[in-house]
């Protein structure tokens, strides 16, 4: 495939490496230096785009790809408030977009088991639950998109929780969740690639369910595999659809 990379930070560079290794061609790299000069004709001859940019330009990148009839994999998070309108635009225009908070195979297995665990614990009201996420200090959004996906999986299975709230360590703002609120605690520590923990606590014991990323390589490889999966399709997809274990 001829790939356009939207965003060329550490993730973009890793994605380029895995794309080339898997026999693809990176025909254009778009970053902060040249984003304002990119025109429609610059991307029209490509086969697919992969976006790991920043939340404030992700929507513009999506619009540009739709206009160019270019399938798009979006790994950038922080724009999900506009998810429904993007989905509607994508389907109305017969475009192709796959988005996800995390493209790691291990994390997507984690997502699946997280939902099963929530449903298994739901009858036992003595357990309270919270989510903790740790990332590197360069991450722009909090909570992480992965943590939000985990929280949504818990909310689907735990009747006692109606929504989630976020507490960012070091922000100076104390967040005390209500009884029906799921707490997502965000920590930013040096160069941590990503650690997510679900904690179920009762007076007599605690259950910890954790995923620890050792590097960003799993995310990058997963993004390239996602582009291969999306190529030739039309529609609006979530990365979890690549890992449908019920099929």
């Amino acid at each position: 495939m001829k790939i356009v990379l939207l965003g060329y930070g550490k993730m973009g560079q890793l994605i380029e490496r895995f794309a080339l290794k898997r026999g693809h061609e990176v025909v254009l790299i778009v970053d902060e230096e040249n984003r304002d000069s990119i025109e429609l004709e610059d991307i029209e001859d490509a086969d697919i785009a992969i976006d790991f940019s920043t939340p404030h330009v992700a929507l513009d990148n999506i619009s540009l790809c739709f206009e160019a009839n270019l399938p798009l994999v979006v790994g950038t998070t922080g724009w999900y408030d506009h998810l429904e309108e993007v989905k509607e635009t994508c389907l109305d225009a017969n475009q192709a977009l796959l988005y996800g908070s995390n493209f790691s195979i291990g994390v997507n297995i984690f997502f699946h088991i997280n939902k099963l665990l929530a449903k298994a614990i739901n009858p036992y009201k003595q357990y309270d639950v919270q989510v903790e996420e740790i990332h590197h200090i360069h991450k722009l959004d909090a909570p992480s998109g992965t943590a939000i996906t985990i929280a949504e999986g818990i909310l689907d299975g735990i009747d006692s929780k109606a929504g989630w709230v976020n507490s960012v360590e070091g922000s100076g703002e104390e967040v005390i969740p209500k009884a029906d609120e799921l707490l997502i605690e965000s920590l930013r520590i040096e160069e941590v690639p990503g650690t997510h923990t679900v904690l179920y606590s009762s007076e007599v014991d605690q259950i910890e369910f954790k995923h620890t990323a050792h590097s960003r390589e799993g995310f990058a490889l997963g993004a390239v595999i996602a582009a291969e999966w999306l190529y030739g399709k039309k529609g609006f997809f979530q990365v979890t659809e690549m890992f449908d274990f019920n099929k």
Side-chain angles (χ1 to χ4, degrees), residues 180-197:
D180 66 346
E181 291 179 331
L182 170 62
L183 177 65
I184 305 176
E185 188 174 14
S186 298
L187 297 88
R188 297 292 174 259
I189 301 174
E190 297 177 352
E191 298 301 322
V192 175
T195 300
H196 294 84
T197 308

Side-chain angles (χ1 to χ4, degrees), residues 56-127:
H56 72 278
V57 300
L59 289 173
D60 288 340
N61 288 343
I62 291 169
S63 296
L64 180 68
C65 289
F66 284 174
E67 192 177 352
N69 199 33
L70 185 65
L72 174 65
V73 171
V74 185
T76 307
T77 58
W79 59 275
Y80 291 173
D81 288 348
H82 302 275
L83 199 60
E84 287 305 313
E85 61 191 82
V86 170
K87 178 179 181 179
E88 184 178 347
T89 302
C90 178
L91 296 177
D92 287 348
N94 195 32
Q95 298 298 314
L97 184 148
L98 183 149
Y99 77 96
S101 58
N102 198 308
F103 289 85
S104 159
I105 293 172
V107 165
N108 279 279
I109 293 172
F110 186 99
F111 289 156
H112 180 69
I113 298 174
N114 174 60
K115 289 183 176 182
L116 298 177
L117 182 57
K119 290 177 181 177
I121 290 179
N122 185 50
Y124 307 101
K125 304 306 180 185
Q126 64 266 40
Y127 286 95

Side-chain angles (χ1 to χ4, degrees), residues 142-143 147-148 151-152 155 161-166 180-184:
I148 293 172
E152 289 172 345
L155 294 173
K161 300 296 183 183
W164 59 265
V165 293
N166 182 225
D180 66 346
E181 291 179 331
L182 170 62
L183 177 65
I184 305 176

